[in-house]
Amino acid sequence: MDDETAMAAFRELELFAHFNDEHLRLLAFVCQEQRLMAGDVLSEAGASVGGAHVLVSGQLEAGSGEGGPRYRITPPALIGEIGLMLDKPRATTIVATRTSSVLLVPREAFMKLLRTHPELAQGVADTLRGELTRYLESIATLGGRFSS
């Protein structure tokens, strides 16, 4: 995959909204492309990936186990963004449901970019804070349904 295609995928994701073309080019350069066929496993629940994945094309499915809920993932999608900051195991298994192309954004390269460009770190922090706030609000709404 060429850098321009990778950069275009990053531009569509909220986490990278504060990145300029130079930042995106650097990120695209260090990413590792992975091609998956239907049925290929991108990552197993419990595995440490060392970063996050960006789904550029195709379709993936996430699930936590046999018979549990499954979630379809379509491009553009950032998968496992917390893995960009922390070495945490994946909560779900991710499997390709059709031929797909993903980029692994390595944690070390991402963190180095944030350390050398503090304005990016602030933008990423703001984005993650907003996502966490929305997530907690949705949990609070659900909690009200079960507390009566």
Side-chain angles (χ1 to χ4, degrees), residues 26-75:
L26 287 169
L27 208 53
F29 180 74
V30 299
C31 285
Q32 301 159 11
E33 181 181 7
Q34 199 171 352
R35 293 242 182 235
L36 304 169
M37 303 305 289
D40 287 349
V41 175
L42 176 64
S43 62
E44 294 275 353
S48 180
V49 176
H53 288 98
V54 174
L55 177 61
V56 178
S57 66
Q59 180 177 292
L60 307 174
E61 186 176 81
S64 54
E66 294 294 322
R70 315 284 301 158
Y71 304 96
R72 185 178 331 150
I73 305 168
T74 58

Side-chain angles (χ1 to χ4, degrees), residues 18 32 35 38 41 52 103 115 120 124 145 147-148:
H18 297 90
Q32 301 159 11
R35 293 242 182 235
V41 175
L103 296 170
R115 282 191 298 272
L120 293 180
V124 167
R145 295 180 187 173
S147 63
S148 301

Side-chain angles (χ1 to χ4, degrees), residues 48-119:
S48 180
V49 176
H53 288 98
V54 174
L55 177 61
V56 178
S57 66
Q59 180 177 292
L60 307 174
E61 186 176 81
S64 54
E66 294 294 322
R70 315 284 301 158
Y71 304 96
R72 185 178 331 150
I73 305 168
T74 58
L78 180 61
I79 304 158
E81 59 267 23
I82 204 71
L84 290 170
M85 307 291 173
L86 304 170
D87 186 19
K88 293 288 184 186
R90 289 284 164 94
T92 61
T93 296
I94 311 287
V95 178
T97 56
R98 64 175 70 138
T99 301
S100 302
S101 181
V102 296
L103 296 170
L104 174 63
V105 181
R107 178 183 322 99
E108 288 303 317
F110 183 78
M111 293 302 291
K112 182 177 181 179
L113 191 58
L114 295 187
R115 282 191 298 272
T116 57
H117 299 280
E119 73 281 4

